[in-house]
Amino acid sequence: MINGAMLIGDTERQAASRFQSHDPATGAALEPGFSSATAEDVAEACALAAAAAPGYAASDPESRAVFLEAIASAIEAVGDDLILRAMQESGLPRARLEGERGRTTGQLRLFASVVRQGDWLDATIDPAMPDRAPLPRPDLRRMNLPVGPVAVFGASNFPLAFSVAGGDTASALAAGCPVVVKGHPAHPGTGELVARAIQSAVTQCGMPAGTFSYLPGETNALGAALVGDPRIKAVGFTGSRGGGLALVRIAAERAEPIPVYAEMSSINPVILMPAALAARGTALAEGFVQSLTMGAGQFCTNPGLVIAVGGEALDGFVAAAGEALARSAPATMLSPGIHASFEQGVALLAQHDSVETVARGLPCTGENQAVGALFQTSAAQFLADAALGHEVFGSSSVIVRCADLADVVRVVASLEGQLTATLQLDQADIADARRLLPVLADRVGRVLANGWPTGVEVAHAMVHGGPFPATSDGRTTSVGTLAIHRFLRPVAFQNLPPELLPNAIAETNPWGLARRIDGIREGSPR
Ligand SMILES: NC(=O)c1ccc[n+]([C@@H]2O[C@H](COP(=O)([O-])OP(=O)(O)OC[C@H]3O[C@@H](n4cnc5c(N)ncnc54)[C@H](O)[C@@H]3O)[C@@H](O)[C@H]2O)c1
Ligand SMILES: O=CCCC(=O)C(=O)O
């Protein structure tokens, strides 16, 4: 059931001020109206989260894992209503949203397995050495503890996997942090259905009521009040560079500054190495256009830049990519605002003196539709104007023609931080790629070979992050199990009586963790 309520702890309430979501394919307003949460609602949700924090942090790994699994099951139990509402509010097709639901519930279950396994606690013990000379060593025991309540901003482009129960929420709850979600105003009905599923899992699993709250709303003031609330201890965000930076500023100016993990903008360079380009330029062009136009290009991993040495092989690639793009159907974008900013970005490139339009997709037939756009320019022109490297969110990409490999290296080195870089390479390209790899690794969070950057695997080794402006903190990731560490902090306990030691570092090791004792991991060969 969707009734437009805010869910604050175990209660639900309607606000006087309302907003509506719209079907981006038709522009029609969707019922019902939604509550616009106020500063008072933020304060109440944060107070409840702070009150819940000690109890939730103390939950044992098994109970917390069962809770994460209960959220996954509750989301599945919403059934097709969730998919239908998400389709209406986002314009995304059924198959994509069904896949995204699987990714969301799979992510929650993966974090449940991580919580049970216990490595995230990083339990480390340096036993006392009372007889050490010249000074004895104290008994030192370290473990990770949750940072406290986390604010999560749902993203517009993944209404399930990066929204109310997305990776930020899953990793914060896994770490033992209560979560207050500021829902994305483009999909409040989808958000409410998922929030209700989480709220029911909180009750079912006997977690403290303030473990989760959901605040719908469309004002920046709401987001600012949430990040500014002194009880919030960290923030997870996926969205625009402007929005992410605004939250970073608010967090830094608090009496107690807090970390903001914002994933913001990336153009995901693809480098076509000479041998690969010569051997399979047409196939590469087909794969590239598929990745570029998938989901109307509304992926932070969208390949918005292609870099290669000019010549016949690149000419062939450009022609084939242009033909494939010209056949691509227009696709509904997530919201009028996102569509308008795509149109603006494409117009800037199309009108740029140093940029040539290679192709546009088939013309649009309805509201808010993106028509794919492919451009080309030279390395010299690209290096002369930083605006050519700005993200155009949607299916728009620029091909940069280089004179030689040194030019390719110069272009790569000039780029802002990126989520990904892709190398299309064959065996004969290995020596050149070896030269390029350190430059790429310095700029990005993930280097891929012979694939496409869209479609991020949720896994232990994944990094979905990167230097600024890909994210506000390039030391971590928002996808994959490493994301849990954003919401943990290490605490050392020195010479504590055994009765006071937390289970993770107690002498008896009641949770059976593989701990590091005197530098050696238990169970590993000495
Ligand atoms: N990097 C990505 O993955 C990604 C994903 C989606 C959108 N985008 C970009 O963001 C643009 C707009 O899309 P969007 O609505 O999803 O993102 P957005 O950044 O405008 O909004 C995301 C969330 O942050 C809040 N917010 C934004 N600015 C704020 C501020 N100054 N103070 C407080 N809260 C604020 C919004 O209310 C919303 O809940 C797109 O055109 C695209 O360029 C990027
Ligand atoms: O839009 C940001 C996330 C992209 C992603 O997760 C994917 O490409 O699968």
Side-chain angles (χ1 to χ4, degrees):
M1 179 203 53
I2 304 170
N3 66 11
M6 304 173 281
L7 306 184
I8 300 181
D10 56 3
T11 68
E12 69 171 88
R13 202 165 61 223
Q14 300 286 350
S17 172
R18 318 292 291 177
F19 70 99
Q20 271 180 297
S21 62
H22 293 85
D23 182 338
T26 61
L30 299 171
E31 292 299 330
F34 290 87
S35 296
S36 249
T38 63
E40 289 72 40
D41 302 318
V42 168
E44 191 181 334
C46 293
L48 275 174
Y56 184 57
S59 57
D60 63 88
E62 180 57 27
S63 318
R64 204 182 297 166
V66 167
F67 170 50
L68 293 170
E69 289 163 346
I71 297 174
S73 301
I75 291 171
E76 284 159 355
V78 180
D80 212 37
D81 286 355
L82 180 61
I83 300 299
L84 290 171
R85 184 74 192 194
M87 286 168 70
Q88 266 190 324
E89 288 185 331
S90 69
L92 294 169
R94 170 178 281 279
R96 152 71 198 274
L97 288 164
E98 285 178 347
E100 202 183 317
R101 177 176 56 188
R103 177 168 163 176
T104 308
T105 53
Q107 189 162 253
L108 284 157
R109 293 189 171 108
L110 179 66
F111 274 110
S113 72
V114 165
V115 169
R116 277 195 182 94
Q117 192 262 348
D119 273 3
W120 58 278
L121 288 156
D122 198 19
T124 303
I125 300 174
D126 292 333
M129 292 177 164
D131 302 327
R132 191 182 67 175
L135 290 172
R137 181 171 84 176
D139 179 271
L140 273 171
R141 290 162 192 254
R142 191 191 74 218
M143 65 178 290
N144 286 330
L145 292 177
V147 295
V150 171
V152 169
F153 286 72
S156 57
N157 61 334
F158 275 73
L160 300 171
F162 281 76
S163 194
V164 177
D168 286 340
T169 298
S171 53
L173 289 176
C177 301
V179 169
V180 180
V181 169
K182 192 270 179 202
H184 197 286
H187 57 256
T190 309
E192 184 182 328
L193 287 171
V194 174
R196 286 185 183 281
I198 302 178
Q199 193 188 47
S200 72
V202 170
T203 308
Q204 181 197 324
C205 296
M207 293 299 173
T211 300
F212 175 77
S213 289
Y214 171 67
L215 302 172
E218 54 180 356
T219 66
N220 287 351
L222 169 57
L226 182 56
V227 175
D229 191 287
R231 290 156 291 207
I232 293 296
K233 300 299 178 197
V235 179
F237 169 94
T238 299
S240 67
R241 188 161 167 170
L245 286 179
L247 301 187
V248 167
R249 268 192 300 276
I250 294 166
E253 284 165 8
R254 290 169 35 134
E256 179 197 348
I258 52 168
V260 175
Y261 299 103
E263 193 236 288
M264 298 175 290
S265 87
S266 181
I267 55 171
N268 306 297
V270 175
I271 296 105
L272 308 174
M273 298 301 284
L277 184 58
R280 49 194 170 92
T282 306
L284 287 175
E286 293 284 343
F288 161 65
V289 170
Q290 262 178 33
S291 177
L292 176 67
T293 54
M294 182 194 290
Q298 301 167 117
F299 283 61
C300 43
T301 45
N302 189 56
L305 189 71
V306 177
I307 307 167
V309 176
E312 237 175 74
L314 182 57
D315 293 345
F317 172 88
V318 172
E323 277 166 34
L325 189 81
R327 293 192 302 270
S328 70
T332 306
M333 296 196 84
L334 295 155
S335 70
I338 286 178
H339 178 245
S341 88
F342 171 74
E343 289 290 319
Q344 194 185 10
V346 167
L348 280 175
L349 288 170
Q351 288 155 17
H352 199 291
D353 287 344
S354 318
V355 175
E356 179 196 332
T357 301
V358 172
R360 295 298 309 264
L362 293 168
C364 46
T365 51
E367 286 207 39
N368 294 316
Q369 286 187 340
V371 173
L374 184 59
F375 303 97
Q376 65 177 335
T377 190
S378 68
Q381 301 291 357
F382 184 83
L383 291 169
D385 186 354
L388 298 182
H390 289 170
E391 181 186 56
V392 178
F393 191 69
S395 41
S396 168
S397 191
V398 177
I399 298 168
V400 178
R401 303 179 75 95
C402 298
D404 51 25
L405 194 74
D407 227 10
V408 172
V409 173
R410 265 192 294 279
V411 170
V412 169
S414 78
L415 296 176
E416 295 186 301
Q418 305 290 334
L419 293 171
T420 72
T422 303
L423 281 167
Q424 298 294 350
L425 81 172
D426 281 357
Q427 196 57 34
D429 294 312
I430 292 288
D432 287 340
R434 192 171 282 127
R435 197 172 136 204
L436 206 49
L437 191 58
V439 191
L440 286 174
D442 181 59
R443 302 279 72 217
V444 313
R446 176 166 60 113
V447 181
L448 311 70
N450 294 333
W452 300 101
T454 42
V456 178
E457 183 72 30
V458 182
H460 301 288
M462 178 50 70
V463 174
H464 187 65
F468 179 84
T471 74
S472 55
D473 188 338
R475 293 170 296 181
T476 182
T477 177
S478 62
V479 177
T481 57
L482 186 67
I484 192 175
H485 287 279
R486 298 174 300 169
F487 305 121
L488 293 167
R489 66 184 184 91
V491 178
F493 296 90
Q494 185 170 329
N495 284 343
L496 256 69
E499 301 86 335
L500 290 184
L501 283 171
N503 279 339
I505 46 177
E507 204 55 33
T508 51
N509 194 9
W511 290 346
L513 301 172
R515 307 185 295 187
R516 193 171 294 278
I517 313 262
D518 227 350
I520 310 287
R521 184 140 161 113
E522 277 178 327
S524 62
R526 290 194 172 241

